[in-house]
Amino acid sequence: MNKMNKKIMGAFTAIIIIAVIIIGGYAVMTKQAQKKAQQEVLPSTEVGKILAKDLETKYPETPTEVVKMYWRISCCMYNDDSIADDDFEKMLKKIRVLYDDEFLKAEENTFDNMLKKFKSDKKKRQDEGQNIGSYVVQKNDTVEIKTVDKEEYATVVSSALIKAKGKTQKTYEKFMCRKSKDGRWKILGWQQINKEAAEEAGVE
């Protein structure tokens, strides 16, 4: 290889190295910019995080996860005194996605009636200085699933710690869930149970 060819090959190699450095640097900067943009767009509050969730396309997969989402939304609706009216209504729409169609068809469970009840319950809780401190939901591998008339049902037990004026007490609820035709677990209803029944399901 003569000197001229060596010079050409050297220059060509240098160009390739410079190009790789430029492309690599650009890729790193682009990735950092995208990460920063995502961090700026993502909501920081719990209300914002829930409102940003698309439950229609990313629905909870198990009965336990459905009940957890119910409590998560309920905590925001009842505990957050600064939530705007329009966000409160949006939260109600989110929680209604978790309900079974049969439950929603009842007259008392129309959107307007539910909105009035939620606001009334919240006002009562505020007057009593009450909020939901924390909640525990039965583990999914202990949830019993039964088939009745070709439909799948699951009961999920949960407990919630209620705080009011320096005092705390626990409430225990049993949720009935039914799998819809599109394979999603929906809340059909719930009832209050005693501590002993909750402990049998592994919930304290």
Side-chain angles (χ1 to χ4, degrees):
M1 183 180 291
N2 57 38
K3 290 183 178 179
M4 182 61 70
N5 286 339
K6 285 182 178 180
K7 286 182 179 180
I8 293 172
M9 286 300 296
F12 183 70
T13 302
I15 290 171
I16 291 176
I17 292 172
I18 292 170
V20 169
I21 292 172
I22 292 172
I23 292 171
Y26 177 76
V28 170
M29 287 189 294
T30 301
K31 190 173 182 180
Q32 289 176 340
Q34 289 175 340
K35 186 177 180 180
K36 185 178 179 181
Q38 283 183 331
Q39 289 174 340
E40 290 175 351
V41 171
L42 288 174
S44 57
T45 65
E46 179 68 353
V47 171
K49 289 176 183 177
I50 290 175
L51 291 179
K53 283 185 174 295
D54 186 351
L55 294 180
E56 293 295 345
T57 58
K58 196 173 181 182
Y59 191 82
E61 296 182 355
T62 66
T64 290
E65 293 303 316
V66 170
V67 175
K68 282 182 179 179
M69 182 57 66
Y70 165 88
W71 278 115
R72 189 178 171 188
I73 297 173
S74 294
C75 284
C76 285
M77 294 182 75
Y78 286 127
N79 293 351
D80 194 334
D81 295 337
S82 63
I83 186 171
D85 287 343
D86 59 337
D87 284 342
F88 192 85
E89 293 185 16
K90 289 176 183 176
M91 296 288 276
L92 176 57
K93 290 177 181 178
K94 290 284 184 183
I95 205 168
R96 284 172 63 84
V97 174
L98 305 176
Y99 294 146
D100 186 273
D101 287 342
E102 184 177 332
F103 179 84
L104 293 174
K105 285 179 182 177
E107 178 63 27
E108 65 269 23
N109 294 330
T110 63
F111 180 83
D112 289 340
N113 286 340
M114 268 194 173
L115 183 60
K116 289 177 183 176
K117 187 175 187 306
F118 265 100
K119 286 186 173 182
S120 175
D121 287 348
K122 181 169 184 173
K123 178 66 167 58
K124 183 179 178 182
R125 287 174 184 265
Q126 286 176 327
D127 291 342
E128 296 175 354
Q130 188 182 103
N131 64 62
I132 304 170
S134 61
Y135 56 88
V136 176
V137 180
Q138 182 178 357
K139 293 181 179 179
N140 195 66
D141 58 5
T142 65
V143 172
E144 186 178 3
I145 297 175
K146 293 183 179 180
T147 301
V148 180
D149 294 331
K150 297 182 180 181
E151 291 187 314
E152 289 184 89
Y153 293 84
T155 54
V156 182
V157 174
S158 71
S159 68
L161 186 66
I162 309 299
K163 298 180 179 180
K165 297 180 179 179
K167 296 181 180 180
T168 60
Q169 65 176 24
K170 277 190 177 181
T171 181
Y172 304 91
E173 309 265 358
K174 180 170 69 175
F175 290 79
M176 173 64 75
C177 298
R178 177 167 62 182
K179 185 176 280 190
S180 63
K181 291 180 180 179
D182 58 1
R184 295 179 173 184
W185 288 101
K186 300 279 188 170
I187 296 172
L188 189 59
W190 60 90
Q191 65 181 43
Q192 196 163 356
I193 59 174
N194 58 36
K195 180 180 179 181
E196 290 71 28
E199 288 178 343
E200 287 181 11
V203 176
E204 296 182 357

